[in-house]
Amino acid sequence: MFEVDHVTRTFGRRKSETAVQALDDVTLDIKSGDRLGIVGESGSGKTTLVRLLAGLDSPTAGEVRFQGARLDRRDPHTLARLRASVQMVFQDPRSSLDPRMKVGQIVTEPLRSRRLRQTGAIPTDPKTRLAEVLDQVGLPAAAAALYPHEFSGGQRQRIAIARALAPNPDILLADEPVSALDVSVRAQVLNLITDLVTTMHLTLVLVSHDLAVIRHLCDQVVVLQHGRIVEQGSADAVYSHPQAAYTKSLLAAVPRLPD
Ligand SMILES: Nc1ncnc2c1ncn2[C@@H]1O[C@H](COP(=O)(O)OP(=O)(O)OP(=O)(O)O)[C@@H](O)[C@H]1O
Ligand SMILES: [Mg+2]
């Protein structure tokens, strides 16, 4: 699905001392059906990596390929295919949902994109799809007529998830989807994501600084430190036999979710 090939992303002037190497020679394959967790401390490059996968940003060096085609922000054709298959859920639903739009409008907005329609990937009509996805994320049909501020944080993230699912994507990118939420609703939202990934056969890329969350949802893990991959492999192997000292320190620092 995705090949990240020796990707470097530098912010700021390239050779100046203030430049930040957010990603440094990252190489990674994401295959259909993978549930990949990306873990690392704050500033390790996690968001930068998922933004590249989402086509929201471009590498400074190296390339990202989607279904074999190089992602290039100036190539509308490949980007349209990406937008039809890849959807993203962001960390904070307060900033990712437009407060002036009703939920019905927010959720169906991706369905109105002309580019998406041209790919022919749009499922059924927007109204039917809206009802379907609200039901899938556990919100009542009446939610469509309300504004985001009329919902709790957990419900708002459900709205954001409904919006991501509306175009029937193959791949879900989730960047810290529960870290802005109240602790009491995190497990519900994570369980919802797990259920949806299973029933819709989605490929999942989940960013979290929390290894317990990744353990709960993912079968593959990539550990980033200072923009470099210091460890990658199956979740079982990484958890039971971490190789990198950094991974060991992450594992030691994080309490595990009870099974
Ligand atoms: N648009 C930008 N302009 C300048 N620097 C940036 C930009 N985006 C990211 N960076 C820098 O790149 C590095 C990696 O940032 P990134 O947001 O990818 O980290 P992260 O792992 O997602 O961190 P967090 O866990 O805090 O979300 C950081 O040093 C950050 O300050
Ligand atoms: Mg981040």
Side-chain angles (χ1 to χ4, degrees):
M1 286 241 154
F2 281 107
E3 289 153 311
V4 177
D5 191 356
H6 294 287
V7 161
T8 293
R9 178 65 170 104
T10 309
F11 291 105
R13 251 179 301 148
R14 244 191 249 192
K15 282 182 184 140
S16 85
E17 284 174 31
T18 53
V20 175
Q21 192 109 316
L23 292 176
D24 182 6
D25 197 24
V26 166
T27 293
L28 172 68
D29 266 9
I30 303 173
K31 300 199 163 44
S32 178
D34 279 355
R35 297 179 180 193
L36 173 71
I38 300 173
V39 69
E41 66 200 355
S42 187
S44 56
K46 307 182 296 295
T47 296
T48 304
L49 180 55
V50 284
R51 284 177 52 82
L52 290 171
L53 298 177
L56 299 171
D57 187 21
S58 308
T60 311
E63 64 182 44
V64 179
R65 291 184 292 275
F66 173 64
Q67 295 176 342
R70 181 187 181 167
L71 279 186
D72 179 339
R73 311 232 313 133
R74 289 155 306 182
D75 168 8
H77 187 71
T78 310
L79 274 188
R81 268 203 301 133
L82 182 80
R83 298 270 139 79
S85 333
V86 180
Q87 290 291 319
M88 188 155 169
V89 174
F90 298 88
Q91 175 169 0
D92 189 349
R94 261 171 315 214
S95 50
S96 68
L97 303 177
D98 187 334
R100 294 158 306 182
M101 282 164 64
K102 287 182 180 169
V103 168
Q105 220 184 335
I106 290 172
V107 171
T108 56
E109 194 183 30
L111 303 181
R112 286 193 291 267
S113 141
R114 231 187 59 220
R115 268 190 190 164
L116 262 190
R117 282 149 167 272
Q118 283 165 351
T119 65
I122 293 294
T124 61
D125 76 297
K127 254 195 185 151
T128 313
R129 189 64 186 149
L130 173 63
E132 282 170 6
V133 290
L134 286 179
D135 183 55
Q136 277 180 312
V137 301
L139 289 171
L146 303 176
Y147 291 93
H149 75 261
E150 299 179 82
F151 294 88
S152 69
Q155 288 173 320
R156 274 184 237 177
Q157 199 58 304
R158 288 175 192 264
I159 296 166
I161 293 168
R163 174 180 59 185
L165 297 179
N168 203 15
D170 302 309
I171 303 159
L172 187 66
L173 308 176
D175 188 357
E176 304 269 15
V178 300
S179 57
L181 304 182
D182 201 272
V183 176
S184 64
V185 299
R186 285 184 188 174
Q188 288 169 23
V189 173
L190 290 173
N191 288 338
L192 172 67
I193 293 175
T194 309
D195 289 349
L196 293 169
V197 165
T198 305
T199 56
M200 297 179 74
H201 307 289
L202 299 175
T203 301
L204 175 70
V205 177
L206 176 86
V207 167
S208 180
H209 60 273
D210 187 339
L211 273 167
V213 165
I214 288 196
R215 168 148 225 198
H216 198 63
L217 273 80
C218 300
D219 49 27
Q220 305 283 320
V221 183
V222 160
V223 183
L224 281 178
Q225 183 186 28
H226 307 314
R228 291 186 147 261
I229 293 181
V230 293
E231 180 141 8
Q232 75 187 106
S234 77
D236 286 344
V238 170
Y239 282 96
S240 50
H241 304 289
Q243 300 300 310
Y246 179 64
T247 313
K248 290 177 190 166
S249 70
L250 283 179
L251 280 168
V254 174
R256 294 184 173 186
L257 282 183
D259 287 324

